[in-house]
Amino acid sequence: MRILGIDPGSRLTGYGVIEQTGNRYKYIASGCIRIEAEYFPDRLKQIFDGVAQLVQTYHPEQMAIEQVFMHKNADSALKLGQARGAAICAVQFTNVPVFEYAARQIKQALVGKGSADKLQVQHMVKILLNIQGELQIDASDALGISLCHAHYQQTAVRLQQGVKT
C-alpha cells in the first residue's frame, strides 16, 4: 500500500510518501510544498495544486494528515485548518481515503512517547525508513504521519484477523 503523509502549513506543507508491504516500509519520496503567495486564498490554491500534483505523481492509495491542535493563537489554528482543508480536498477529489491523527498519536507510534520533540521523530523516521543524510523537518514530520498510519492500519488488520479466528 502506498501512503501519502501530509504535515500541513500555510507557508510550508511537508509531504512524505512510503510504501508498506506487510510489516516493511519503503521510502518513496519526501519534501515540502513551499507556499509563495501572500494573499491567503492564493496560498490555499497552491496547497491544493501541490497536493493534487503529488497524487498524480505518486498514486497513493491512502493519505494521512495531522489534525489541528489549538495552542495559544486562534488565528494560526484557523489558517492551519484551512491549509489542511485544501490538502484534504485535493486528495478527496481523486477518491483517495483520508485518515487523521493527533500529533501525540504520531509521536507515540514512532517514538513511544507522546511528548517527543521533532528531532526525536526525525531520528526514528530516518531509522525506520533507512534514510541516510539530511531530511527536512517538515518532510520528516510528514513521513512520520505516513508511518503512524501504517502502524495503525497493521494493528487494525491484526485485530480483524483475531476476531475472525
Side-chain angles (χ1 to χ4, degrees), residues 106-127:
I106 297 162
K107 293 171 183 179
Q108 181 74 38
L110 293 171
V111 181
K113 183 168 80 167
S115 61
D117 66 32
K118 286 183 174 284
L119 292 177
Q120 289 173 304
V121 170
Q122 183 183 55
H123 180 73
M124 284 305 296
V125 165
K126 289 173 81 172
I127 288 171

Side-chain angles (χ1 to χ4, degrees), residues 25-74:
Y25 309 111
K26 179 181 173 189
Y27 170 83
I28 303 297
S30 64
C32 293
I33 301 167
R34 296 187 185 286
I35 314 305
E36 303 295 332
E38 287 302 316
Y39 183 55
F40 194 72
D42 291 339
R43 285 192 224 165
L44 296 177
K45 183 174 181 340
Q46 283 185 311
I47 294 166
F48 181 94
D49 291 345
V51 173
Q53 182 62 51
L54 292 170
V55 171
Q56 278 188 328
T57 302
Y58 298 109
H59 308 286
E61 295 165 72
Q62 297 183 350
M63 180 182 117
I65 190 166
E66 187 173 345
Q67 292 175 340
V68 174
F69 102 89
M70 180 70 164
H71 188 55
K72 293 180 182 177
N73 188 335

